[in-house]
Amino acid sequence: MLENIYTELIAEHSRSPENRRTLPHATHTERGHNPSCGDDITLQLEIADGKIVDASFGGTGCAISQASTDMMIELLRGKPITEAKRLAEIFIAMIHGDITDDDTLAALDDAAALKNISTMPARVKCATLAWHTLEAAITDGDAHA
Amino acid sequence: MTKNFLNDFPILRGKMNGNALAYLDNSATTQKPEGVVRSICGYYGGCNANPHRGVYELSVKATKVYEDARRKVADFIGADGREIIFTKNATESLNLVAYSYGLTNLHADDEILITVAEHHSNLVPWQMVARATGAKLNYVYLDADGNLSAADIAAKLTRRTKIFAVTHISNVLGIVNDIKALAARAHEVGSVIVVDGAQSVPHVPVDVGDLDADFLAFSGHKMLSPMGIGVLYGKRHLLDEMPPFLRGGDMIEYVTEQETTFAELPQKFEAGTQNVGGAAGLSAAIDYINGVGFDEIERIERDLTTFAIAELKRLPYVELYGCDVANKIGIISFNIRDVHPHDVATILDAAGVAIRAGHHCAQPLTKYLGQSATCRASFYFYNTRRDVERLLDAVQSVRSVMHLA
């Protein structure tokens, strides 16, 4: 069970420093928090012409929440917001076990590695925190840096 | 030779993720022995009726179960039955004191003193009282060892202090506070002392008369009883002066269209139909605890705590919190370097070891310790050295699972 969750890929993403920074030209800053366990991330987006030009994050949390955030940022950089919303729906459906076919999940790139979290109810919210934070950031409408 | 308690706790003989269960989350809730489960079934199967109300035999039986449980609790902590209020849990007990005593007796310029090691249940209600009355909420911090700072207590427990609310045993650090000395200090300056006994009453003998505690709150579910039954002890003259907390059935004397007079203690604070099955369970739990005896409970928990700390200290990547004190029992908080506590808890879970990870409902303390979360292993008398060995084995596997070693 553990080796399917704590893969090397997830371990690497959870410790990867590149996306842990402050965006100089952020248009959206959104804080996401799991009060019951303390995962606490701040997601920054630079959006121009309906596209995510750049993204970054800060904060603390478990390996799953941190890896999930890092993989999400890698995936979203350069993507249109409409595509980001579609990917968020796929990711959240994957974590809840509603989408399981690998062809659809291929769109998630590395983030598809979190598929097995769907078998661990206690950790679902760790994996989805970044994506729910993204949804809050891009559905708030107006830019707030 | 230690009794094999597992015979009385079938759940502890079960498995978790294919491994034997090592249940080390007793500060969150304890398991229930068969005798307690039987007593609840026995109440609902043979004695159930609404107590205090009916004149028929079954209602009289239910009343007896409920009031016998109250007497059992009173004897257990050295109180009078009229000073025992049944609640849902320690949280409700502390809210009762905050709403009923705090809001009535505090004013602007008064001060409430609590400690940074309080559970949210003995912290958030006092924030409410401070906000509503204009009183100031002050904190006692810890010294380098993790004990309550004596200097802080000396400076902050003053004539302005009207309520000193303090935990008997920290649910994160396991440190035992000297309530008797703190109560004497509080009374010298004219303050009442409110004691959170959620982690002490199940583990050490507590005598409210000896401690001279004004209020003591605890939960049944942390001492072998079902969830949903708790206790507030209060000195009779204080409870007598306090207004009711909740209003409704069973707590009244006379009700007219516009006015109500209230029942005597303890019914004044027990509005509505109470958790009689829970009280029956708590009564059976007290019998079980008395049967084991606090000498034996302390001996077992001290042995497990000492053994676990000594072994964890040998692991260079483990950081322990508040562990260099003698007056500590049953609870160990720690972190593994570069691994978040939730990941530790998941890895231990896979090995059948149940611990808690997070802020343990004590966010100010977690922050004060400079952490975002910690791992916590907490023992009860039914745990064994084998459970601790399983914990240690699993802890030693964590860094390699996380690709760090």
Side-chain angles (χ1 to χ4, degrees), chain A residues 6 8 15 35 37 61 63 123, chain B residues 340 342-343 346 359 402-404:
Chain A
Y6 294 113
E8 263 180 72
R15 290 192 282 269
C37 61
R123 305 305 298 274
Chain B
H340 193 278
H342 292 139
D343 299 314
T346 292
H359 51 64
M402 297 303 289
H403 307 277
L404 285 164

Side-chain angles (χ1 to χ4, degrees), chain A residues 110-124:
Chain A
D110 279 3
L114 288 167
K115 184 181 175 182
N116 292 318
I117 296 291
S118 63
T119 63
M120 303 178 74
R123 305 305 298 274
V124 160

Side-chain angles (χ1 to χ4, degrees), chain A residues 1-2 5-8 11 14-15 33-39 60-64 120 123 126, chain B residues 17 338 340 342-351 356-359 363 372-373 401-404:
Chain A
M1 166 183 112
L2 286 177
I5 300 295
Y6 294 113
T7 61
E8 263 180 72
S14 74
R15 290 192 282 269
H33 186 211
N34 282 328
S36 65
C37 61
D39 292 335
T60 57
C62 62
I64 291 165
M120 303 178 74
R123 305 305 298 274
C126 312
Chain B
N17 291 316
D338 302 326
H340 193 278
H342 292 139
D343 299 314
V344 176
T346 292
I347 294 165
L348 268 54
D349 168 50
R356 178 85 184 271
H359 51 64
Q363 285 183 16
S372 61
V401 171
M402 297 303 289
H403 307 277
L404 285 164

